[in-house]
Amino acid sequence: MTQTARFLPEEMVLKIGWYVWFNQDQYPRNSCNSPGYDSIDRFKQLCSRNTSILSVCQHWRRALLPAFCRAVQGDCQMGSTALRHPFIEKGLTKEVWLRFDGYLLFGKWAIELVSNLLNHGQSGLSIDSLVIIIVNSPPTLPTYNEIERARLLIDICQRALMPRSVAFVSQPQTVLGSNIRFSSDSLDKFQMIYTYFSLAPHPPCVTLIEVQSVASPAMVQFISSTASTLERLRIKNISIATLQLLLKGAKEVVFPRLEQLQLVLDTEGVDIQPYNITTQLFPRLACLDIIICPSDIGPSKEASLSIYEHNFLTDLFFHDSARTRLRSLNLPVTWDTVEVLGPKLLENLRYVFLYEVSLEGEHLLDEEESNQLLQNILSLQHVRSVFLTNSAPRTFINFPLQCHNLHTLGISNYSLTVDQVVDIIKHFRFLYFLEFSLINDVADKDPGAVPAVQLRKYGSALNTSMKNMRANIVPETTAGTVALFGSFIVALPHLQCLTIPRGFCGLVGRSIKYACEKQPYKWGSEMQTPLNIFTI
């Protein structure tokens, strides 16, 4: 007789729990020191976890409790409801997240909440990381009582948690019913917390700083003082002149452990002075994310850098040696980026997002330079995802495709014929997302439907993983090209989502139907879900 299991295996219960809490089948690897997420969103995700799944039965609770206790959170703002049992367990809890109101950070309310949350400082957990989130408020000078309460607050955290690292995160606050948005980073409170932690016998190191802006010399000094231990730095507004001051004051500041750097640049303001960078400041950098403020993008959507600013950024991140550690790159590109971003310089790159900017209002990439840049990126052996945004339409030029493991390719401003799209999909067998602009073949002058003999060349299914395609069909595209595109769509058995301009929906739909009737390949027989067509 076949025996049935009384309980689900613990591995399956864990996967169910992770789907319920994080909508994925494994514990999120994006811990507080990892790239690819926002700390505020992470805190909200932790707060929204459903605890009812822990009460299904003792077997489920035993399987899920260690994963649930791994990261715990406490909201210590004024007006917060009574804290539920925080599920802090010695040996299981690795991260503790605490959020405070910047205006009442060291008030009695916060002291009481933290004391209750951490069992009056008697736990001695020895956690990996303590994340302190401060909701910004108008800057105020701390009183003597606040300073004393700050010392008490940090003493409780230190004795209860004994964190090996601490992270500082600022959260902007918007006043309800108005457009007032406090974005000051309460520098005095960050420094005060850091000072009291540093007095402990075994002080934690600062591994993460996320701030809204850096403008004052005091904030620059605070970040510079933690450079030796920082692993992740995110600044949502900083001028290049301030960045220059941060990285090269009295001497060059080296960040030996920094793995992720995200900067939103304000290119307006004081001009910087050119100078030479003599040291590799980020030897372990794996994720580089450089964004230009939206306010700097004009009606033509062409961002601009000065020559000094551009030279500074180029020397800063690509100084004198190969960036073999870089895995993710988001960078504004100019006319000379083709020379800077060579295959040998970025040989281990996995994720690439490049957007074109002008250099002092001119020197935009021409078609040859744009295609050379794309060729350089697609020659990287390990690249998985590529998005390249141009300021003007470009004609795709055929070139040898050297990488083989590409999963996503977004080249919305590159114009491709149907045959070029087919060649790309055939080469990249694992490609599941493609974005491009569709144009007529050079030889296609007939505005009518193409002959059936041309349709039959796409009659058999392409061996592809393609699931999502976004095609910007230009208005000049002929009906014959659209019909050919429809027969090509039929040859993608796993395609689930097709996005096209609204004006071409009827013509593409009829072309797909016609191709299904005329071709021997039965489209849809291998599909798990029907094809959905969306409009741009």
Side-chain angles (χ1 to χ4, degrees), residues 101-106 134-143 146 171 173 175 180-192 213 216 218-219:
D101 191 323
Y103 188 68
L104 298 169
L105 174 60
F106 306 125
I134 299 179
V135 179
N136 295 323
S137 60
T140 56
L141 294 176
T143 64
E146 284 184 316
Q171 177 180 350
Q173 181 187 48
V175 178
I180 301 176
R181 182 180 175 91
F182 298 128
S183 59
S184 61
D185 285 304
S186 304
L187 172 63
D188 54 334
K189 297 179 175 62
F190 277 111
Q191 289 181 315
M192 192 180 299
S213 63
S216 65
M219 177 59 90

Side-chain angles (χ1 to χ4, degrees), residues 16 18 35 65 69 132 145 227 328 336 396 437 439 515:
I16 294 174
W18 287 325
L65 194 58
C69 295
I132 296 178
N145 289 335
S328 177
D336 67 341
F396 181 81
S437 293
I439 60 172

